[in-house]
Amino acid sequence: MSQAASAIAETPRSNRFALAALILGGAAIGGSPIFVRLSDVGPMATAFWRVALALIPIFISSLAKGKDAGPKPEKASDYALLILPGVVLAMDLAAWHLSITMTSVANATLLANLAPVFVTIIGLLFFGAVVTRVFVLGLVLALAGVVILKGGPAALGNGDLRGDGVAVVAAVFYAGYILAIGKLRSRFDTVRIMLWSTASAAVCIFPLGFFYEDQMLPPTAYGWAIVFGLAFVSHASGQVAIAYALAYLPAAFSSLTLLLQPIVAAILAWVLLSEPIGPMQAIGGGVVLAGILVARRG
């Protein structure tokens, strides 16, 4: 078999593996609200420990790969591009956590999940992305599912308008993070990208936590276990899986698939926090999955 034919044969398999990694990454990040809810420290401090502690497994993975970690940054522009996703991620985490204190949790979570809309818009305006009608239909279905999952349109009337606006800002930042990672994956290895972006996110979030929170250090072993779980499961595992998938899947579709996060969060809240899943949540989860399947065909 020729090299070209071999590459063609391997592409669907790589895409399937990337889709599995994307779904697992979205599920891992979907657990982050549970860790944040259970944390002994405030939201900004929790966000700092999430990225700071995640550097441990990511750095170990980087050392293990050694020369297999792919090309290194050579110019100042390369370093800037590697740092950029972390800066954007820091702003996303800060805005999302802040919005939770300013508006209802339902509003903050729902509006922060508008990232796929902004990924699609930015891709169309600045990157010449091609979006089919089938994909748009899937996007609309998935977003409708998120609205149903969070209690229907009536839930939008229970929050503060300023907090709602901050949650939308968080969605814009997360869209920028997804697009930045997607562009970098064509040049650099996943572990290298995550090492630089996670380190830069920790540097950016630390002053926010230091000045915004009364306490930075978790006071108990339980508190440390929670932030370690958030760092290792939601960031080190979840974000690395997503970064890997973005090398093989379009950014717009990848961001849409991450709408699985509210479903995972709802299930974990039911199991771990005894928050019941009602008919609206079940229907909403089904609509989100249907939207993803439709978009996959587009």
Side-chain angles (χ1 to χ4, degrees):
M1 181 182 292
S2 67
Q3 290 183 350
S6 177
I8 292 172
E10 292 176 3
T11 298
R13 186 182 308 168
S14 299
N15 286 348
R16 286 195 296 271
F17 188 76
L19 180 60
L22 183 70
I23 292 172
L24 289 174
I29 296 176
S32 62
I34 309 302
F35 287 115
V36 173
R37 177 78 68 86
L38 297 175
S39 178
D40 281 350
V41 291
M44 296 295 177
T46 301
F48 167 72
W49 290 115
R50 166 181 178 164
V51 288
L53 294 175
L55 283 171
I56 298 172
I58 294 174
F59 182 69
I60 293 173
S61 298
S62 178
L63 290 179
K65 295 199 75 170
K67 295 181 180 179
D68 295 330
K72 297 180 180 180
E74 298 177 353
K75 301 176 294 184
S77 59
D78 292 338
Y79 289 102
L81 288 173
L82 285 168
I83 291 171
L84 177 62
V87 176
V88 179
L89 178 63
M91 297 302 101
D92 162 58
L93 292 175
W96 184 65
H97 286 300
L98 181 60
S99 71
I100 293 176
T101 67
M102 298 173 64
T103 187
S104 66
V105 173
N107 279 26
T109 306
L110 169 63
L111 295 172
N113 276 284
L114 290 175
V117 175
F118 295 108
V119 169
T120 303
I121 293 173
I122 294 171
L124 281 170
L125 294 179
F126 299 104
F127 299 106
V130 177
V131 179
T132 66
R133 292 180 180 179
V134 175
F135 178 85
V136 173
L137 175 61
L139 175 63
V140 172
L141 269 177
L143 290 174
V146 172
V147 174
I148 297 171
L149 183 70
K150 293 304 176 183
L156 291 175
N158 299 327
D160 183 87
L161 189 59
R162 292 175 302 169
D164 292 347
V166 175
V168 173
V169 170
V172 174
F173 279 124
Y174 195 66
Y177 172 77
I178 289 290
L179 289 167
I181 291 291
K183 288 294 180 182
L184 280 175
R185 279 297 284 119
S186 63
R187 299 179 56 189
F188 297 105
D189 180 77
T190 301
V191 174
R192 190 179 303 282
I193 294 171
M194 294 311 301
L195 181 63
W196 280 89
S197 62
T198 302
S200 59
V203 170
C204 291
I205 292 178
F206 177 76
L208 296 176
F210 185 80
F211 290 107
Y212 186 81
E213 306 285 8
D214 296 328
Q215 183 175 354
M216 282 292 292
L217 296 175
T220 64
Y222 165 84
W224 280 109
I226 292 297
V227 293
F228 266 101
L230 177 62
F232 284 20
V233 175
S234 292
H235 193 90
S237 299
Q239 296 291 354
V240 166
I242 291 168
Y244 167 82
L246 283 167
Y248 302 95
L249 301 172
F253 174 74
S254 299
S255 64
L256 178 59
T257 304
L258 296 181
L259 287 176
L260 286 170
Q261 293 176 22
I263 299 176
V264 173
I267 294 173
L268 290 176
W270 172 52
V271 174
L272 300 175
L273 303 177
S274 299
E275 295 184 1
I277 297 178
M280 290 285 281
Q281 286 79 13
I283 294 172
V287 174
V288 170
L289 292 173
I292 291 171
L293 291 174
V294 171
R296 174 68 171 165
R297 294 182 176 274

